[in-house]
Amino acid sequence: MTAPAIQVQAPLIQLNGITKVLKGQEEPRTILSGVDLTVHPGQSVAILGRSGSGKSTLLSLIGLFDRADEGQYFLHGNDITKLPERKAAALRSAEFGFVFQRFFLLKHLTAAQNVAMALVNGQGWSSRRKRKQQVMEALEQVGIAHLAKSKPARLSGGEQQRVAIARALVRQPRVILADEPTGALDTETGNLVVEVLLNTTRQGCGLVLVTHDHDHARKMGRVLELRDGRFN
Amino acid sequence: MFSGKLRSALVIGGQGIRARKLRTFLSMVSLFLGVLAVVTVQAGAEIAERAMLTDVELQAGKDGTVTGYIPGEKGAPGIVEATLKGRADAVAMISSKAIIGEPGLRPINEGGMPFEYANRGGDYQGPMVYCDAGGVCQEQKPQEKKPDGQAIEVSMVALTGDIRPFKPFRPVSGTWLDFASAPSLAPRIVLNEEAAKGLRQYRVPGEMMIDGATHHVTPQIVGVVEDGYPQPRVYLRLDELRTWMPAAAASSELDRFRGGGTGLEVYLQPGSHDLQQLLKAKLIGAGVDQKQVEFRVVNSKERMESELKIMRLIFLGMAFLVLLIGVAGILNVGLATVGERVEEFALRRAVGMSRMLLAGIVLAETLLTGLLTAALAIGAGAAGLQIALTLFGHRFPSLQGTTFPWEAGVAGVIAGLVAGVLGGLIPAIRAARIPIATVMRA
């Protein structure tokens, strides 16, 4: 008898020894120092830390907003450490969904149009009908399809954040990167938003949540704390 | 792939314009004046050129026409008349003098001058000496002074066919000469405006004395045209004139030096090389000096274009200065808008938009604004021209039938595009340089 083959799936995200130094007018300051992190599909990770500990910087490196000074970054096992900007933009569109503390909804657009913004980004083109269908599915996923035609000014904070989450989900990303998504919300609404985000992991999506809130962090699969540019 | 980027740029650009209607409108106002200035200068130059060309064409003939000036001696008029008879591609004009009015009197505008200058000159009638090319001079005895009376002197132009395909005379009243009908005993004449003015002003009797004619004739006036000549002129059919002049009189040397006598002008359609050769051969065969039989192609447009070029460049330069003010306006608004939309642009990049496309969107917005403004300025220019023509067109006959020149439309579109690019380029570059991490630090 032969032993059943074990399929080893490559991690969704793998960071090895990531270092980031902030070079400004003052003396260079090391924000991240040799950070290692692995995120698997369907896994949720909370990153805790004090202000200035490098949480958001780490998230911006994972989301390809910025480049690390040292270390390696693998996505699905592929080294994307030195990816050119054009390809990075394509990856941001295809692989990542972003949720921020401030919702960044465009006030002149409706909720549906704000969600569609992630589809009209020059990375391919789908018909208006298909876009509408994708947008409505994303809004339904976060439970606010009935508010599709509302403009941000008419929505509550929680509803606005859910629109922002729908915008992050509309392209069916592999990873959601959320930077203090409950920071501007009350506890109850914040819990609701965290639930919505956790739901995405049940469909195989990875979640990296940067937060100050220990209650929300405890709901995640793993909790990491950044201190002085390193995970404790 | 390109289609997706282009469509995205247009969709987002359109959203941006709709979201900032007032700002877009304000940037359009300054740009509008600049584009309108370019459109106006271009349209004005085109119309002025056409008007000038039309006026020149009245005298010199349409561009491309082949003209020949032939001395009216050694039977040349008869040869030319016989050669061109029945041809539609060539017409000869035989000029002479005639006096309309009471016989035996001194015409009001002696010498056929415009009536404005009539009776202004002195009364000197002393001896005059004329010399030919060979240096042989002869004295002309002073003519006996005739008594003043109701008569006017005109240049009389006899035609072998319809001259209008070569010289676009503008009808003023009545009709033009009918060359299809049988010749009339009473010659039908068409006056130019100056001749009509003389007849109207001095109310002369309708009797005409033609140089070299055997009898006085009573003409029928059938119409009035604008022919571009300041002197009074009448046009008539050569075959109707022949009834009264059995043979074309050859001008004497003296007449030619005086500018009088029979002069011959021939107008041929472009490409009539064979006919030119035929005429030359016949005239030289009849003894006309070869050097005096010359044909040339009318090329007024090219000559005028070079004259107008400098003026047009000066005005275009001024228009572009106005356009630059518009560009500065759109640039100012563009930079302010980018500053206001930093988070939006950072967010768009965060969701996968490339730097290039983001710059393209900003550029698309200013280009759309520029094109929209150009369309409005072109529309305003065309409407303004139409209104001006309706109000003042009757004062300028050469502008009759003028339409908005397409060159002005093209210039307006180019000005709009250039303004859009110049005004949008720097904001586009700034937008593309916004770091995505802006959204993380907000």
Side-chain angles (χ1 to χ4, degrees):
Chain A
M1 265 178 73
T2 53
I6 300 169
Q7 286 192 336
V8 181
Q9 201 178 5
L12 197 55
I13 291 168
Q14 189 177 347
L15 303 181
N16 295 338
I18 292 292
T19 297
K20 180 71 184 172
V21 180
L22 198 67
K23 301 175 189 93
Q25 289 175 335
E26 298 162 16
E27 285 212 354
R29 192 160 66 94
T30 303
I31 305 295
L32 296 172
S33 176
V35 170
D36 297 327
L37 174 69
T38 306
V39 180
H40 291 279
Q43 190 179 31
S44 58
V45 179
I47 299 176
L48 290 165
R50 287 187 302 182
S51 295
S53 61
K55 305 187 295 296
S56 295
T57 302
L58 179 60
L59 211 61
S60 70
L61 292 176
I62 298 172
L64 299 172
F65 292 0
D66 207 348
R67 296 280 186 280
D69 294 314
E70 282 176 34
Q72 280 184 304
Y73 180 3
F74 294 91
L75 187 72
H76 306 299
N78 301 312
D79 189 350
I80 59 166
T81 314
K82 290 176 180 171
L83 207 61
E85 161 56 26
R86 192 170 52 80
K87 287 186 179 171
L91 271 187
R92 280 198 298 273
S93 172
E95 302 288 333
F96 300 104
F98 301 94
V99 182
F100 307 101
Q101 181 177 357
R102 283 175 57 200
F103 323 121
F104 292 121
L105 301 181
L106 303 186
K107 60 185 178 186
H108 61 276
L109 301 181
T110 63
Q113 285 170 327
N114 266 291
V115 176
M117 184 182 164
L119 297 172
V120 185
N121 61 358
Q123 306 290 351
W125 183 257
S126 49
S127 67
R128 182 190 288 254
R129 193 173 162 188
K130 192 175 176 194
R131 286 205 307 268
K132 192 175 177 185
Q133 186 192 338
Q134 287 173 289
V135 166
M136 291 314 290
E137 281 172 10
L139 285 171
E140 262 171 38
Q141 207 176 335
V142 295
I144 51 165
H146 60 287
L147 297 173
K149 289 182 179 170
S150 303
K151 290 209 172 168
R154 296 187 148 265
L155 301 175
S156 68
E159 288 167 340
Q160 287 190 48
Q161 191 58 298
R162 279 193 280 172
V163 173
I165 294 171
R167 182 178 62 202
L169 295 176
V170 71
R171 273 196 179 261
Q172 298 177 323
R174 308 281 183 89
V175 192
I176 296 279
L177 303 176
D179 187 19
E180 299 182 39
T182 60
L185 303 173
D186 60 68
T187 311
E188 197 179 332
T189 312
N191 289 339
L192 193 69
V193 165
V194 169
E195 280 308 312
V196 170
L197 288 172
L198 274 174
N199 274 340
T200 62
T201 60
R202 287 168 201 131
Q203 291 151 22
C205 188
L207 170 65
V208 180
L209 174 76
V210 166
T211 183
H212 286 293
D213 192 315
H214 288 262
D215 291 339
H216 292 153
R218 275 194 289 275
K219 291 177 184 172
M220 303 295 125
R222 282 167 70 199
V223 180
L224 301 169
E225 188 171 0
L226 260 179
R227 187 173 293 173
D228 299 329
R230 289 171 185 275
F231 283 128
N232 270 355
Chain B
M1 195 67 178
F2 174 74
S3 170
K5 288 190 194 315
L6 186 67
R7 287 179 184 190
S8 299
L10 289 176
V11 166
I12 297 166
Q15 283 175 350
I17 288 173
R18 280 202 301 275
R20 294 163 194 82
K21 291 189 191 81
L22 181 63
R23 189 168 280 193
T24 305
F25 172 74
L26 289 176
S27 59
M28 280 173 74
V29 169
S30 57
L31 191 57
F32 177 82
L33 295 174
V35 177
L36 188 62
V38 172
V39 169
T40 306
V41 167
Q42 189 66 24
E46 291 295 332
I47 291 167
E49 191 180 302
R50 281 182 207 177
M52 282 173 68
L53 187 64
T54 311
D55 282 344
V56 170
E57 280 179 342
L58 283 177
Q59 290 189 24
K62 284 184 181 172
D63 256 28
T65 300
V66 179
T67 60
Y69 296 90
I70 298 160
E73 59 191 16
K74 294 174 182 164
I79 293 168
V80 171
E81 187 185 353
T83 309
L84 302 188
K85 194 172 184 181
R87 297 190 73 124
D89 59 344
V91 171
M93 285 173 47
I94 300 177
S95 303
S96 187
K97 298 271 183 188
I99 293 172
I100 304 175
E102 290 180 41
L105 298 177
R106 191 168 78 142
I108 290 151
N109 62 329
E110 195 170 24
M113 68 178 79
F115 295 104
E116 177 179 5
Y117 306 112
N119 296 324
R120 280 200 194 169
D123 222 10
Y124 175 72
Q125 288 292 324
M128 296 177 83
V129 176
Y130 298 98
C131 298
D132 63 14
V136 180
C137 299
Q138 52 181 300
E139 185 182 307
Q140 189 197 8
K141 287 178 183 170
Q143 288 176 345
E144 192 183 326
K145 191 184 175 188
K146 293 175 183 174
D148 291 342
Q150 290 300 88
I152 61 169
E153 187 169 339
V154 295
S155 292
M156 191 192 62
V157 183
L159 303 165
T160 59
D162 193 351
I163 191 71
R164 290 175 305 170
F166 306 98
K167 289 187 163 196
F169 291 166
R170 285 189 282 269
V172 175
S173 63
T175 59
W176 178 245
L177 299 169
D178 177 14
F179 288 87
S181 63
S184 168
L185 268 176
R188 289 165 289 189
I189 62 170
V190 171
L191 312 174
N192 76 347
E193 285 183 306
E194 186 65 11
K197 179 181 158 189
L199 286 184
R200 200 170 46 243
Q201 199 169 328
Y202 299 106
R203 299 188 174 280
V204 295
E207 194 171 351
M208 188 159 74
M209 287 134 282
I210 303 166
D211 270 6
T214 49
H215 297 85
H216 292 172
V217 298
T218 307
Q220 306 173 56
I221 299 170
V222 295
V224 178
V225 293
E226 187 193 342
D227 66 351
Y229 285 94
Q231 301 89 356
R233 282 162 79 97
V234 299
Y235 297 90
L236 74 165
R237 279 171 54 167
L238 181 61
D239 51 0
E240 291 183 358
L241 179 66
R242 282 277 173 264
T243 311
W244 305 94
M245 296 176 71
S251 58
S252 67
E253 283 293 307
L254 187 64
D255 278 342
R256 284 206 294 119
F257 286 126
R258 285 174 57 197
T262 309
L264 257 176
E265 286 176 53
V266 182
Y267 290 83
L268 312 170
Q269 276 185 356
S272 55
H273 188 70
D274 291 346
L275 185 56
Q276 283 178 49
Q277 293 305 317
L278 180 65
L279 269 173
K280 267 189 181 178
K282 283 186 175 182
L283 290 166
I284 293 164
V288 177
D289 185 0
Q290 188 173 353
K291 288 177 188 167
Q292 292 186 315
V293 184
E294 278 196 14
F295 292 92
R296 67 173 185 86
V297 178
V298 177
N299 198 1
S300 309
K301 193 173 181 183
E302 197 176 301
R303 184 170 50 81
M304 274 173 36
E305 267 177 356
S306 62
E307 286 170 7
L308 279 173
K309 200 174 178 182
I310 294 172
M311 203 165 65
R312 184 190 288 216
L313 282 176
I314 291 169
F315 278 106
L316 268 180
M318 287 161 66
F320 271 106
L321 279 180
V322 180
L323 186 66
L324 274 183
I325 297 170
V327 170
I330 208 168
L331 179 62
N332 186 24
V333 170
L335 286 173
T337 305
V338 169
E340 200 179 71
R341 295 169 75 183
V342 165
E343 288 176 359
E344 177 195 334
F345 290 151
L347 181 70
R348 287 197 186 276
R349 285 199 57 213
V351 297
M353 189 170 278
S354 65
R355 283 180 197 275
M356 283 294 286
L357 184 58
L358 192 63
I361 287 165
V362 177
L363 211 52
E365 284 185 22
T366 53
L367 275 177
L368 284 173
T369 307
L371 281 177
L372 196 63
T373 309
L376 288 173
I378 292 165
L385 176 67
Q386 203 55 47
I387 292 167
L389 285 175
T390 309
L391 293 177
F392 310 111
H394 61 280
R395 290 191 204 168
F396 306 99
S398 60
L399 293 181
Q400 278 171 8
T402 301
T403 51
F404 186 72
W406 63 266
E407 293 91 340
V410 172
V413 171
I414 292 172
L417 283 173
V418 168
V421 170
L422 290 179
L425 201 58
I426 295 173
I429 292 168
R430 283 212 178 167
R433 284 183 179 167
I434 293 169
I436 315 178
T438 303
V439 285
M440 311 290 287
R441 298 188 198 109

